[in-house]
Amino acid sequence: MSRDWIKWHDEYEVPGSSLARRLEVVRGYLRPLLDRPRRVISMCAGDGRDVLPLLPAGSRAVLVEWDPVLAGRARAAAPSGVTVITGDAGTTTPYAEIAPAEIVLACGVFGNVSYEDTRRTIAALPSLLTPGGTVIWTRAGESPVRSLFADNGFTELAYAEPTDARFRVGMHRLDRAPDPFLGDVRLFTFV
Ligand SMILES: C[S@@+](CC[C@H](N)C(=O)[O-])C[C@H]1O[C@@H](n2cnc3c(N)ncnc32)[C@H](O)[C@@H]1O
């Protein structure tokens, strides 16, 4: 990987920073969904700080993170019921043990992959979700992400586009029948 993702996480500690503000939006979307135990997937989970502190007891979650230091931090913060996989989130294989999930987090993913991989990943999300399952995603700036969700049977529940920051956060619900889960399907590769 070309970027130092550990250093990238440091911005979370800067009050008022774009990343700190983005985190509050993501958590704000997540909180009402986590009103009871849920099954959750986090792709490219980083240190898991968006979801781990909010998970109700009895939840099951799979967080997939490539960097072993960040995965270790997530593991150290994880309550029981959470599996942190140090590995490639860009195939469906690590999700086999939890799919279908009620919530999928794709935060910090779409800005780091090609348009084709974004399209492929969003098209595959119905195979990872329960009926009515929800995806929370982030992306910097304008992008085709919202229309790709619409094209794949999702309804937009919320979208944040602050005028003074580049981050965008979306929340989409699957409003069609899910697809069957298939293992070993390539979704994306970080560029
Ligand atoms: C922009 S950060 C987002 C982290 C976290 N989701 C967040 O929003 O705080 C991208 C993360 O993806 C991880 N990553 C990059 N390629 C990956 C891959 N193929 N599989 C799993 N994680 C990957 C990086 O190590 C980094 O932690």
Side-chain angles (χ1 to χ4, degrees):
M1 277 182 302
S2 51
R3 280 194 75 160
D4 182 344
W5 292 113
I6 299 172
K7 198 161 175 222
W8 180 91
H9 278 69
D10 289 348
E11 194 193 323
Y12 275 126
E13 306 305 329
V14 180
S17 66
S18 183
L19 210 47
R21 290 173 58 197
R22 195 193 82 168
L23 177 64
E24 286 317 305
V25 177
V26 171
R27 284 180 176 165
Y29 287 178
L30 260 175
R31 233 175 244 114
L33 300 176
L34 295 174
D35 56 345
R36 59 179 188 273
R38 297 287 195 183
R39 298 165 67 88
V40 181
I41 286 171
S42 180
M43 303 174 155
C44 302
D47 64 11
R49 72 178 67 201
D50 41 16
V51 62
L52 292 176
L54 306 182
L55 268 184
S59 296
R60 284 198 53 216
V62 168
L63 278 59
V64 187
E65 167 57 43
W66 184 264
D67 184 280
V69 173
L70 293 168
R73 288 180 188 169
R75 211 168 277 122
S80 72
V82 175
T83 303
V84 178
I85 297 174
T86 308
D88 186 5
T91 82
T92 55
T93 303
Y95 311 118
E97 66 177 84
I98 187 136
E102 294 158 291
I103 300 167
V104 171
L105 292 176
C107 296
V109 177
F110 298 136
N112 294 296
V113 307
S114 67
Y115 168 78
E116 185 49 34
D117 281 4
T118 299
R119 193 202 58 72
R120 198 196 331 271
T121 302
I122 293 171
L125 286 170
S127 73
L128 301 181
L129 286 165
T130 55
T134 309
V135 182
I136 296 174
W137 57 271
T138 70
R139 173 80 165 85
E142 298 316 310
S143 73
V145 171
R146 296 166 84 192
S147 57
L148 288 170
F149 272 104
D151 293 346
N152 284 279
F154 288 84
T155 300
E156 187 170 279
L157 301 180
Y159 181 65
E161 48 178 345
T163 51
D164 60 346
R166 270 181 52 72
F167 72 81
R168 306 287 180 260
V169 184
M171 177 160 66
H172 282 79
R173 182 183 63 218
L174 181 63
D175 276 335
R176 68 160 171 87
D179 294 327
F181 175 81
L182 289 175
D184 204 22
V185 174
R186 172 55 58 186
L187 303 173
F188 59 81
T189 306
F190 266 38
V191 292

